[in-house]
Amino acid sequence: MSDYDVPRGIDVLRVFCGPDGRHGNALGVVRDGSGHPDEASRQLLARRLGFSETVFVDDPERGRVDIHTPELRLPFAGHPLVGTAWLLDLEVLELAVGDVFARQDGEFTWITARPEWVPPRTLQQYASAAEVEALPGPPPGEGWLYVWAWEDEAAGRVRARAFPRRGDAIVEDEATGAAALLLSAHLGRALNITQGRGSQILTAPAPDGTVEVGGRVLMAVRG
């Protein structure tokens, strides 16, 4: 499915685009999830599409959605929910873990979620942004890894890269809202993250323990 050659009925978005509109993480959105009613068929399509995540919309009015990577179903993920909230223009998305609230603010779409909803991630700090950028690939080890360094600590600017390390085709994740959420919660402050080749993710923790995650969304292919 190179160059977003996807079947009809599937929109392809780019989520967390940079200020110049480039980069962002590709997301497949199946607007009518009833065509793939069971987990096996959804997993097969997600693997065929090959995006880091594919969203199946089960109820476009209530915002009930289901998220799959090429290998497994996810209870929560950041860039799929930001993208789907933008596409469906909804204020609430329904997940099994809880309701995710969304809002539009100019060019940015934001979601609010809880850190405990995020699957485990290892956050590894490097001494400089240059070290993060110089990595030729995922460091040795197993499990989902988010490497990061301060570009400007006073301004909350971070350089990051994400490596799922789960043995599938996704060696590096271009823009990862869930890991950004965890990092923001861990540091207890708002962040402006440049990830991957140049994607931008914004975060803002709240006093109630939730974290807002926001970014730009662009339509790549309308199914």
Side-chain angles (χ1 to χ4, degrees):
M1 289 291 170
S2 61
D3 298 323
Y4 305 140
D5 180 17
V6 297
R8 292 189 63 182
I10 298 176
D11 293 323
V12 182
L13 313 179
R14 290 189 295 113
V15 184
F16 297 132
C17 297
D20 59 1
R22 300 172 62 209
H23 308 302
N25 204 354
L27 173 69
V29 181
V30 183
R31 283 180 177 264
D32 183 3
S34 63
H36 301 272
D38 57 81
E39 186 168 345
S41 66
R42 293 183 176 193
Q43 199 60 68
L44 183 64
L45 179 60
R47 190 175 302 118
R48 180 186 173 205
L49 294 174
F51 300 126
S52 57
E53 280 97 13
T54 297
V55 172
F56 296 84
V57 179
D58 290 321
D59 189 329
E61 294 184 359
R62 296 183 60 181
R64 187 178 300 129
V65 298
D66 189 29
I67 308 167
H68 286 257
T69 77
E71 297 298 330
L72 72 158
R73 182 174 182 269
L74 294 179
F76 173 87
H79 101 272
L81 296 175
V82 170
T84 305
W86 175 86
L87 180 67
L88 301 180
D89 192 22
L90 293 175
E91 295 182 353
V92 181
L93 296 172
E94 292 187 0
L95 299 174
V97 293
D99 289 346
V100 173
F101 296 94
R103 66 182 178 92
Q104 307 292 327
D105 180 15
E107 62 181 327
F108 295 101
T109 300
W110 295 82
I111 62 167
T112 299
R114 306 201 66 85
E116 55 265 31
W117 294 348
V118 179
R121 305 275 195 268
T122 297
L123 308 175
Q124 184 173 338
Q125 183 177 7
Y126 278 60
S128 69
E131 289 183 59
V132 172
E133 293 174 351
L135 287 171
E142 298 181 355
W144 223 105
L145 178 67
Y146 197 62
V147 300
W148 69 280
W150 290 113
E151 283 189 319
D152 184 337
E153 185 171 357
R157 291 176 50 219
V158 167
R159 184 70 173 98
R161 292 172 67 185
F163 302 102
R165 299 194 304 188
R166 58 191 175 215
D168 60 20
I170 310 300
V171 176
E172 181 170 353
D173 207 11
E174 172 63 24
T176 316
L181 185 157
L182 286 182
L183 182 61
S184 187
H186 172 69
L187 297 173
R189 58 180 296 184
L191 301 174
N192 182 344
I193 300 170
T194 300
Q195 187 183 320
R197 297 169 299 160
S199 302
Q200 184 180 25
I201 306 170
L202 305 179
T203 70
D208 65 357
T210 62
V211 178
E212 272 199 309
V213 178
R216 301 175 188 84
V217 184
L218 296 176
M219 177 72 74
V221 176
R222 182 174 292 279

